[in-house]
Amino acid sequence: MINKNELILNTVSIFKDKFKNKPDIISLAPGRINIIGEHTDYNLGLAIPTAINRWICVAISKEKGSSIKLYNNNYKFDFNFSLFDEIYKDSSWMNLVRRTFKIFKNEYNLNNSFNIAINSNIPIGCGLSSSTAFTISLINAISKCLSISLSKSEQIILSQKIEKISMKTNGGLLDQFSILMSKKSKLMLIDFQNNGIKYFSQKSLNQSWIVVNSKINRELSNSKYNDRVSECNKGFNFLKEKINIKKYSNLKESILNKYPINDKIINKRIRHVISENNRVKSMYKAFLKHDSTSIGRILFDSHKSLSFDYEVSCKEIDYLIDCSSKIDGWRGGRIIGGGFGGCTINLIENQIIENYSKIINEKYFKRYGIHPDIFPIVFSNGAEVNKYKKNIYNENL
Ligand code: GLA
């Protein structure tokens, strides 16, 4: 896997090859993991995410005119369009690009040409938030080029707005917060009811966080995701008629015994959200006590809840978790992100990482004919954007 510096150098050299000039700005946005607190953000609950050491890099220069010349190295694709083009539906990343420029044109009077090279080592569409990283890196690149200074909250709101329009998802703010607010080696406890963040460190436990990419495409995930959002709306509206909910994360599961929701599915969805918020609280305490047995158990409980109550897992991911649970030294793990495929996050004893990867690879391949991608992650800084200066990146010219 290439590191951040190599990714930047690589992107700069692609930019120079394509446009025969140097970029003005380098913008980087990381992927994210979420240790716990899944599908709680749009329910005003809690989560513990952070950014990871995988990035999308945008190299950009401002030119005269009104045309955008973009090269996406991940798809080996040249994408050229004019600021005056109508928006029509093409692939999702192109749609994101068009929408972003349209918004800058309408809201910030953007009237320039741009040359752009994009390059990323975040696996795409598998629960590590590659599309929010894409949007944020682009927003930051364009705004820096135009000397528009956007606060973090403006970046968060703009990115959510662009993704909502172009991807038609009613997501919460988990991804934007993780990508913009993370700090190196830290986790964040976020309360989405007031957007408060508490930073804390994980003491070295002789264990690593390992991502396993099932390579199962999250097909139809957007519409199923939106179904979950509206099921939760219905469930919480029902509860709000019965009780005064001051703090969503303080609800206890027993409320559903007192006021059962007569739709079984919605009852299950709400049970997941309430129990997940309580798991976030327990997880935070477990981190403070460096109690890795509890951390592992809570992860596993979260997976069961996401699989049975929230029904956002799939057989391949359940199989990965089931195989993992039989390996000594696997502390716990679960599906991450929106679900319906994608990745698992696992806490693993350092001395078994190699063996773990071997066993999971063999078993998963035998069952599904797919080699999963298995890699460790570290907690990283959020997005950054800088003027391009060749000596910063130790470039050899
Ligand atoms: C997706 C959404 C987030 C969040 C997660 C589930 O990643 O973009 O807002 O809802 O799913 O926790």
Side-chain angles (χ1 to χ4, degrees):
M1 207 267 297
I2 61 170
N3 65 30
K4 183 158 132 187
N5 218 37
E6 288 162 345
L7 182 74
I8 296 170
L9 287 180
N10 202 336
T11 314
V12 169
S13 106
I14 291 166
F15 185 97
K16 287 181 173 173
D17 266 10
K18 274 277 153 195
F19 304 113
K20 312 291 171 229
N21 208 343
K22 60 178 183 47
D24 300 332
I25 302 289
I26 300 293
S27 169
L28 281 162
R32 64 108 186 86
I33 47 143
N34 188 18
I35 301 289
I36 192 89
E38 218 65 89
H39 294 275
T40 49
D41 60 346
Y42 53 83
N43 289 307
L44 307 182
L46 308 171
I48 302 185
T50 192
I52 58 172
N53 53 331
R54 297 267 175 148
W55 297 269
I56 180 153
C57 180
V58 170
I60 185 168
S61 70
K62 190 171 82 176
E63 312 288 333
K64 289 209 175 73
S66 56
S67 62
I68 315 300
K69 289 192 187 130
L70 185 150
Y71 180 71
N72 187 333
N73 189 49
N74 294 90
Y75 297 103
K76 307 279 177 255
F77 195 87
D78 284 296
F79 177 37
N80 300 331
F81 64 99
S82 153
L83 282 179
F84 297 98
D85 282 356
E86 282 305 305
I87 301 255
Y88 56 87
K89 185 104 191 88
D90 31 28
S91 80
S92 56
W93 72 266
M94 286 147 99
N95 207 10
L96 273 178
V97 174
R98 284 185 195 275
R99 296 282 177 186
T100 307
F101 276 100
K102 209 55 156 189
I103 283 187
F104 272 95
K105 179 171 176 287
N106 295 343
E107 295 183 14
Y108 298 96
N109 299 322
L110 175 150
N111 193 11
N112 291 94
S113 284
F114 290 90
N115 292 338
I116 306 171
I118 295 185
N119 193 18
S120 170
N121 62 2
I122 310 173
I124 294 166
C126 66
L128 301 176
S129 206
S130 56
S131 57
T132 303
F134 187 94
T135 313
I136 288 176
S137 60
L138 206 55
I139 289 175
N140 285 350
I142 301 168
S143 53
K144 182 92 177 170
C145 249
L146 298 173
S147 306
I148 299 169
S149 111
L150 296 176
S151 67
K152 288 265 164 81
S153 1
E154 286 170 321
Q155 293 169 40
I156 287 172
I157 292 164
L158 193 53
S159 141
Q160 192 192 34
K161 179 171 164 184
I162 293 168
E163 282 190 75
K164 266 196 178 162
I165 316 175
S166 37
M167 310 192 60
K168 311 260 182 298
T169 46
N170 300 323
L173 293 174
L174 175 80
D175 305 340
Q176 287 80 4
F177 267 75
S178 314
I179 291 168
L180 282 160
M181 308 304 288
S182 289
K183 293 186 182 170
K184 197 172 176 197
S185 309
K186 301 268 181 203
L187 286 166
M188 297 185 283
L189 171 62
I190 307 178
D191 182 344
F192 289 101
Q193 191 155 351
N194 56 18
N195 291 335
I197 303 180
K198 227 184 243 175
Y199 291 93
F200 64 99
S201 309
Q202 177 193 15
K203 271 263 168 73
S204 163
L205 301 165
N206 251 337
Q207 288 148 2
S208 298
W209 292 98
I210 304 286
V211 167
V212 179
N213 183 357
S214 68
K215 300 200 182 148
I216 299 300
N217 218 322
R218 305 187 312 135
E219 229 174 292
L220 294 178
S221 60
N222 288 1
S223 67
K224 289 189 195 158
Y225 180 92
N226 289 341
D227 289 346
R228 296 296 179 277
V229 176
S230 72
E231 286 159 358
C232 287
N233 273 337
K234 285 185 195 146
F236 281 116
N237 282 340
F238 169 86
L239 286 180
K240 277 199 286 193
E241 282 170 14
K242 309 285 173 203
I243 49 165
N244 176 15
I245 306 179
K246 284 208 189 99
K247 195 131 186 71
Y248 282 80
S249 55
N250 282 347
L251 289 171
K252 299 275 172 286
E253 277 172 73
S254 53
I255 199 74
L256 293 173
N257 300 330
K258 204 164 171 198
Y259 303 110
I261 302 171
N262 62 13
D263 181 317
K264 274 200 184 127
I265 301 268
I266 295 186
N267 207 70
K268 279 176 19 160
R269 306 297 189 241
I270 300 298
R271 188 166 65 197
H272 163 74
V273 176
I274 295 179
S275 63
E276 185 77 348
N277 279 324
N278 288 313
R279 279 186 289 273
V280 176
K281 290 182 187 174
S282 312
M283 183 66 98
Y284 179 62
K285 286 185 196 144
F287 271 117
L288 297 187
K289 286 197 237 147
H290 319 301
D291 175 359
S292 50
T293 310
S294 298
I295 296 175
R297 183 186 36 79
I298 300 165
L299 287 170
F300 198 22
D301 288 347
S302 170
H303 182 75
K304 285 185 249 167
S305 178
L306 285 160
S307 182
F308 298 119
D309 277 350
Y310 219 64
E311 297 179 280
V312 288
S313 188
C314 59
K315 60 181 190 318
E316 294 86 350
I317 293 268
D318 285 345
Y319 183 66
L320 283 173
I321 294 291
D322 186 48
C323 293
S324 301
S325 69
K326 295 178 180 132
I327 301 173
D328 260 357
W330 178 84
R331 292 297 190 150
R334 60 178 199 85
I335 186 167
I336 47 171
F340 310 105
C343 294
T344 63
I345 179 83
N346 305 270
L347 184 64
I348 291 175
E349 298 289 340
N350 284 343
Q351 67 273 19
I352 68 139
I353 293 180
E354 212 173 295
N355 201 29
Y356 171 83
S357 307
K358 191 167 161 276
I359 298 173
I360 292 296
N361 191 10
E362 278 170 12
K363 287 199 166 175
Y364 192 66
F365 184 73
K366 195 162 171 217
R367 172 78 65 106
Y368 293 110
I370 301 170
H371 286 295
D373 204 4
I374 304 177
F375 55 91
I377 54 94
V378 294
F379 307 159
S380 302
N381 272 326
E384 54 187 278
V385 55
N386 292 299
K387 288 214 161 111
Y388 170 72
K389 287 195 199 105
K390 69 180 185 203
N391 49 354
I392 292 187
Y393 309 111
N394 309 319
E395 189 175 7
N396 296 318
L397 285 177

